[in-house]
Amino acid sequence: MIDFTEELSEEELIRLLKQDRLGAFREIYSRYWKKLFDEAYRRLKNRELAEEVVQELFTTLWTKRHVLQINTTIGAYLYSAIANQVIDIYRKELVRSRYKEAFKVVHTEVDNSTEDSIMLKDLVYTIDEEISHLPDKCRSVFELSRKEHKSNKEIASYLGISEKTVEQHLTKAIKQIRLTLTHYLVLMLFLLLK
């Protein structure tokens, strides 16, 4: 019987974690949760989001315990994982803000001339048409993300799929829409610059 009240080495904790020992997981959790939360909060300045990031990290740690490749200390691994999750959050937020800004530009700077109005309607129609041709699940994910402004986590929960699957569907949808709309972007740039 292992006594988890003793200070176990990190190597021992990793070995026990991979053997499905819940006590090892609890020990890692109690050693690192507060430190990881503080680190996430320092970077995000949002308590709820910091808690969510840390909880997600520990959930992943437990679910992927059998395939973990930790070549450093547990602490270094967890801090690196937190940093990567924070970068992902910033990257997603940047994409969302760029999308919102582009949407604002289209809706505020397009003048009301008949030609521009027709072009805008055509663009909206083309985008809607392209969205309608996406596979069902991919279309649902895209619409929940872009039209209903739900987070990847909310979409995953709502559709009963993983967040990674949500990201894959969004990537696929955006790539397909971008390919279709390439000629519109050139035309819109021309109109905005004239």
Side-chain angles (χ1 to χ4, degrees):
M1 187 74 177
I2 303 215
D3 182 8
F4 287 101
T5 59
E6 292 179 14
E7 186 74 17
L8 295 174
S9 72
E10 294 209 343
E11 295 80 17
E12 186 70 10
L13 283 173
I14 292 170
R15 186 180 64 76
L16 292 170
L17 180 68
K18 288 184 175 189
Q19 293 175 359
D20 300 331
R21 299 297 296 269
L22 193 55
F25 176 79
R26 285 188 187 124
E27 178 62 23
I28 294 168
Y29 188 91
S30 68
R31 281 187 196 181
Y32 290 102
W33 192 93
K34 176 77 169 103
K35 295 174 189 173
L36 292 170
F37 170 79
D38 290 344
E39 182 66 16
Y41 181 74
R42 185 181 66 78
R43 293 170 182 242
L44 296 169
K45 305 290 189 248
N46 179 317
R47 294 186 76 76
E48 187 176 296
L49 190 55
E51 284 180 10
E52 189 177 310
V53 165
V54 175
Q55 287 305 113
E56 188 175 315
L57 173 60
F58 277 106
T59 300
T60 302
L61 180 69
W62 178 254
T63 58
K64 295 188 176 181
R65 66 193 175 278
H66 298 292
V67 295
L68 282 178
Q69 294 298 320
I70 301 177
N71 302 320
T72 61
T73 64
I74 294 174
Y77 174 83
L78 293 172
Y79 280 107
S80 176
I82 282 291
N84 289 333
Q85 284 185 307
V86 168
I87 289 168
D88 284 346
I89 288 170
Y90 283 133
R91 188 181 301 127
K92 288 173 189 172
E93 190 53 43
L94 183 61
V95 168
R96 278 193 186 104
S97 66
R98 283 183 181 163
Y99 178 82
K100 287 177 186 175
E101 286 304 312
F103 189 77
K104 284 180 193 173
V105 166
V106 168
H107 287 306
T108 59
E109 293 183 7
V110 173
D111 87 10
N112 291 328
S113 74
T114 304
E115 184 179 317
D116 289 349
S117 180
I118 290 170
M119 193 175 304
L120 181 58
K121 285 181 183 176
D122 189 36
L123 176 60
V124 170
Y125 173 79
T126 303
I127 292 171
D128 287 342
E129 188 67 21
E130 192 58 36
I131 292 170
S132 75
H133 286 93
L134 292 171
D136 291 342
K137 188 74 84 169
C138 189
R139 183 178 61 247
S140 297
V141 168
F142 183 81
E143 289 175 342
L144 288 168
S145 174
R146 298 307 192 261
K147 292 183 178 178
E148 296 184 29
H149 308 290
K150 294 197 178 297
S151 70
N152 288 4
K153 187 171 188 169
E154 291 171 323
I155 295 168
S157 174
Y158 181 75
L159 295 177
I161 57 178
S162 72
E163 284 186 62
K164 190 75 173 165
T165 304
V166 170
E167 289 172 15
Q168 290 169 347
H169 282 304
L170 284 174
T171 300
K172 179 180 180 179
I174 290 168
K175 280 183 183 176
Q176 192 166 335
I177 291 167
R178 273 189 192 145
L179 284 174
T180 302
L181 299 179
T182 302
H183 68 282
Y184 280 103
L185 294 177
V186 173
L187 192 53
M188 285 181 66
L189 279 174
F190 174 74
L191 289 173
L192 292 173
L193 295 175
K194 71 175 184 176

